[in-house]
Amino acid sequence: MPNIILLGPPGAGKGTQARRLVEDRGLVQLSTGDMLRAAQTSGTEMGRKVAAVMAAGQLVTDDIVIGLIGEKLAEGGSGFIFDGFPRTLAQADALGDLLARAGQTLDAVIEMQVDDEALVDRISGRFTCGNCGEVYHDRTRPTSTPGVCDVCGSSDLRRRADDNAESLRQRLMEYYKKTAPLIGYYHHAGKLFSVDGLAEIEDVAKSVARVLDGAKGA
Ligand code: AMP
């Protein structure tokens, strides 16, 4: 099973496409953002440590997220979707080492291209189901019954603390400064594929599928 990275700014649709790939292909989603939010909810020391940094839209330190991913890869298996990781060149180097140690390769990096205006709109209307993780949007993808998740029926619908205009501005700045250089890094490694992230969810999913079906190991 292929190991892939979904790369793109906040709101590009990485999580939505990752969930599709989990369902359609049985891949395993590794979202450092989800892991960090889970650490906050369960009140671990690490969760407390990173809460303010995340709320402000800044990146948590490399060693924390590299540690989280290292633990997952040490459990074995393959077919990982790295969602929101790596976000810095140091994390990209570390991922290469971790995969090599696990006897795994990186098959494709899929860059989801979007523009900033669309991101503000997507992020400001976004909410998710706290139970199953389904992603919704006030205008473009509301629940069929207000307040109830279409997928699992839970009424635990949540908005992220960092999905506000101020945090988003900071998250975008972090993306362009620290994460966007990964586009060149993976292009140089011959692993980069770009898709139009502004297309409809179905069409983006088709573009992603085409990349995976063409990439080695898929
Ligand atoms: P996400 O859910 O991917 O948008 O991540 C939410 C927040 O978690 C980010 O704004 C960062 O504060 C933190 N975070 C998630 N993944 C990483 C990472 N790979 N490196 C540093 N910080 C991260």
Short mmCIF file of all heavy atoms in Angstrom, two decimals, residues 3-29:
data_model
loop_
_atom_site.label_atom_id
_atom_site.label_comp_id
_atom_site.label_asym_id
_atom_site.label_seq_id
_atom_site.Cartn_x
_atom_site.Cartn_y
_atom_site.Cartn_z
N ASN A 3 2.44 4.98 0.61
CA ASN A 3 2.52 5.99 1.67
C ASN A 3 2.56 7.35 0.98
O ASN A 3 3.39 7.57 0.10
CB ASN A 3 3.81 5.81 2.48
CG ASN A 3 3.84 4.47 3.17
OD1 ASN A 3 2.92 4.11 3.89
ND2 ASN A 3 4.90 3.70 2.94
N ILE A 4 1.63 8.23 1.37
CA ILE A 4 1.55 9.52 0.68
C ILE A 4 1.44 10.68 1.66
O ILE A 4 1.00 10.51 2.80
CB ILE A 4 0.34 9.58 -0.28
CG1 ILE A 4 -0.99 9.48 0.51
CG2 ILE A 4 0.41 8.46 -1.32
CD1 ILE A 4 -2.19 9.87 -0.32
N ILE A 5 1.82 11.83 1.17
CA ILE A 5 1.64 13.07 1.94
C ILE A 5 0.60 13.93 1.22
O ILE A 5 0.65 14.06 0.00
CB ILE A 5 2.96 13.87 2.00
CG1 ILE A 5 4.02 13.12 2.80
CG2 ILE A 5 2.74 15.27 2.59
CD1 ILE A 5 5.41 13.78 2.76
N LEU A 6 -0.35 14.48 1.97
CA LEU A 6 -1.24 15.51 1.42
C LEU A 6 -0.70 16.85 1.91
O LEU A 6 -0.60 17.09 3.12
CB LEU A 6 -2.67 15.30 1.90
CG LEU A 6 -3.37 14.02 1.38
CD1 LEU A 6 -4.80 13.95 1.91
CD2 LEU A 6 -3.37 13.97 -0.15
N LEU A 7 -0.33 17.69 0.96
CA LEU A 7 0.32 18.95 1.28
C LEU A 7 -0.56 20.11 0.81
O LEU A 7 -1.07 20.08 -0.31
CB LEU A 7 1.67 18.98 0.55
CG LEU A 7 2.63 20.13 0.81
CD1 LEU A 7 3.10 20.13 2.26
CD2 LEU A 7 3.85 20.00 -0.11
N GLY A 8 -0.71 21.11 1.67
CA GLY A 8 -1.50 22.28 1.26
C GLY A 8 -1.82 23.11 2.49
O GLY A 8 -1.71 22.63 3.62
N PRO A 9 -2.20 24.37 2.28
CA PRO A 9 -2.51 25.26 3.40
C PRO A 9 -3.75 24.81 4.16
O PRO A 9 -4.50 23.95 3.67
CB PRO A 9 -2.73 26.62 2.72
CG PRO A 9 -3.09 26.29 1.31
CD PRO A 9 -2.38 25.02 0.97
N PRO A 10 -4.00 25.39 5.33
CA PRO A 10 -5.21 25.05 6.08
C PRO A 10 -6.44 25.33 5.23
O PRO A 10 -6.51 26.37 4.58
CB PRO A 10 -5.17 25.99 7.29
CG PRO A 10 -4.14 27.03 7.00
CD PRO A 10 -3.20 26.42 6.01
N GLY A 11 -7.37 24.39 5.19
CA GLY A 11 -8.60 24.60 4.41
C GLY A 11 -8.49 24.10 2.98
O GLY A 11 -9.45 24.19 2.21
N ALA A 12 -7.34 23.54 2.61
CA ALA A 12 -7.16 23.07 1.22
C ALA A 12 -7.98 21.82 0.93
O ALA A 12 -8.21 21.48 -0.22
CB ALA A 12 -5.68 22.80 0.94
N GLY A 13 -8.40 21.13 2.00
CA GLY A 13 -9.20 19.92 1.81
C GLY A 13 -8.42 18.64 2.09
O GLY A 13 -8.86 17.55 1.70
N LYS A 14 -7.31 18.76 2.79
CA LYS A 14 -6.47 17.58 3.08
C LYS A 14 -7.25 16.55 3.89
O LYS A 14 -7.26 15.36 3.57
CB LYS A 14 -5.20 17.98 3.85
CG LYS A 14 -4.34 19.01 3.17
CD LYS A 14 -3.05 19.29 3.94
CE LYS A 14 -3.24 19.95 5.30
NZ LYS A 14 -3.75 21.33 5.25
N GLY A 15 -7.90 17.01 4.94
CA GLY A 15 -8.64 16.10 5.82
C GLY A 15 -9.78 15.41 5.10
O GLY A 15 -10.00 14.20 5.25
N THR A 16 -10.49 16.18 4.29
CA THR A 16 -11.63 15.63 3.55
C THR A 16 -11.16 14.54 2.58
O THR A 16 -11.74 13.45 2.51
CB THR A 16 -12.33 16.77 2.76
OG1 THR A 16 -12.82 17.72 3.71
CG2 THR A 16 -13.49 16.24 1.93
N GLN A 17 -10.09 14.81 1.86
CA GLN A 17 -9.59 13.81 0.90
C GLN A 17 -8.98 12.61 1.64
O GLN A 17 -9.11 11.47 1.18
CB GLN A 17 -8.57 14.43 -0.06
CG GLN A 17 -9.18 15.48 -0.99
CD GLN A 17 -10.30 14.92 -1.87
OE1 GLN A 17 -10.25 13.77 -2.30
NE2 GLN A 17 -11.30 15.73 -2.15
N ALA A 18 -8.34 12.87 2.77
CA ALA A 18 -7.76 11.77 3.54
C ALA A 18 -8.86 10.80 3.98
O ALA A 18 -8.72 9.58 3.87
CB ALA A 18 -6.99 12.31 4.76
N ARG A 19 -9.97 11.37 4.42
CA ARG A 19 -11.08 10.52 4.87
C ARG A 19 -11.62 9.66 3.73
O ARG A 19 -12.00 8.51 3.91
CB ARG A 19 -12.19 11.38 5.48
CG ARG A 19 -11.79 11.97 6.83
CD ARG A 19 -12.84 12.90 7.38
NE ARG A 19 -14.14 12.25 7.54
CZ ARG A 19 -14.44 11.39 8.50
NH1 ARG A 19 -13.53 11.07 9.39
NH2 ARG A 19 -15.63 10.84 8.57
N ARG A 20 -11.67 10.25 2.53
CA ARG A 20 -12.10 9.50 1.35
C ARG A 20 -11.17 8.31 1.08
O ARG A 20 -11.61 7.21 0.76
CB ARG A 20 -12.07 10.41 0.10
CG ARG A 20 -13.17 11.44 0.06
CD ARG A 20 -14.48 10.76 -0.23
NE ARG A 20 -14.46 10.09 -1.53
CZ ARG A 20 -15.06 10.53 -2.62
NH1 ARG A 20 -15.75 11.64 -2.56
NH2 ARG A 20 -15.01 9.87 -3.76
N LEU A 21 -9.87 8.57 1.19
CA LEU A 21 -8.89 7.52 0.89
C LEU A 21 -8.93 6.40 1.93
O LEU A 21 -8.70 5.24 1.62
CB LEU A 21 -7.48 8.12 0.81
CG LEU A 21 -7.26 9.06 -0.38
CD1 LEU A 21 -5.94 9.81 -0.24
CD2 LEU A 21 -7.27 8.27 -1.69
N VAL A 22 -9.25 6.78 3.16
CA VAL A 22 -9.39 5.77 4.22
C VAL A 22 -10.55 4.84 3.84
O VAL A 22 -10.45 3.61 3.89
CB VAL A 22 -9.65 6.44 5.59
CG1 VAL A 22 -10.07 5.42 6.63
CG2 VAL A 22 -8.41 7.21 6.04
N GLU A 23 -11.65 5.47 3.42
CA GLU A 23 -12.85 4.71 3.09
C GLU A 23 -12.68 3.89 1.80
O GLU A 23 -12.99 2.72 1.75
CB GLU A 23 -14.01 5.69 2.90
CG GLU A 23 -15.31 5.21 3.51
CD GLU A 23 -16.29 6.35 3.57
OE1 GLU A 23 -16.98 6.56 2.57
OE2 GLU A 23 -16.31 7.07 4.60
N ASP A 24 -12.16 4.55 0.76
CA ASP A 24 -12.11 3.91 -0.56
C ASP A 24 -10.97 2.91 -0.69
O ASP A 24 -11.07 1.94 -1.44
CB ASP A 24 -11.93 4.96 -1.67
CG ASP A 24 -13.11 5.93 -1.73
OD1 ASP A 24 -14.13 5.66 -1.07
OD2 ASP A 24 -13.00 6.97 -2.42
N ARG A 25 -9.84 3.16 -0.01
CA ARG A 25 -8.67 2.33 -0.25
C ARG A 25 -8.09 1.68 0.99
O ARG A 25 -7.06 1.02 0.93
CB ARG A 25 -7.56 3.17 -0.90
CG ARG A 25 -7.98 3.73 -2.24
CD ARG A 25 -6.83 4.42 -2.94
NE ARG A 25 -7.32 4.97 -4.20
CZ ARG A 25 -6.76 4.73 -5.39
NH1 ARG A 25 -5.68 3.99 -5.48
NH2 ARG A 25 -7.29 5.25 -6.47
N GLY A 26 -8.72 1.94 2.12
CA GLY A 26 -8.22 1.32 3.35
C GLY A 26 -6.87 1.86 3.82
O GLY A 26 -6.15 1.19 4.54
N LEU A 27 -6.56 3.09 3.39
CA LEU A 27 -5.32 3.69 3.87
C LEU A 27 -5.52 4.18 5.31
O LEU A 27 -6.65 4.25 5.79
CB LEU A 27 -4.89 4.85 2.96
CG LEU A 27 -4.61 4.51 1.49
CD1 LEU A 27 -4.12 5.74 0.73
CD2 LEU A 27 -3.57 3.41 1.38
N VAL A 28 -4.42 4.51 5.97
CA VAL A 28 -4.47 4.94 7.38
C VAL A 28 -4.12 6.42 7.46
O VAL A 28 -3.03 6.82 7.04
CB VAL A 28 -3.46 4.12 8.22
CG1 VAL A 28 -3.48 4.59 9.66
CG2 VAL A 28 -3.77 2.64 8.12
N GLN A 29 -5.05 7.22 7.98
CA GLN A 29 -4.81 8.68 8.08
C GLN A 29 -4.00 8.99 9.32
O GLN A 29 -4.39 8.62 10.43
CB GLN A 29 -6.16 9.40 8.13
CG GLN A 29 -6.04 10.92 8.25
CD GLN A 29 -7.39 11.60 8.40
OE1 GLN A 29 -8.41 10.94 8.63
NE2 GLN A 29 -7.41 12.92 8.29
#
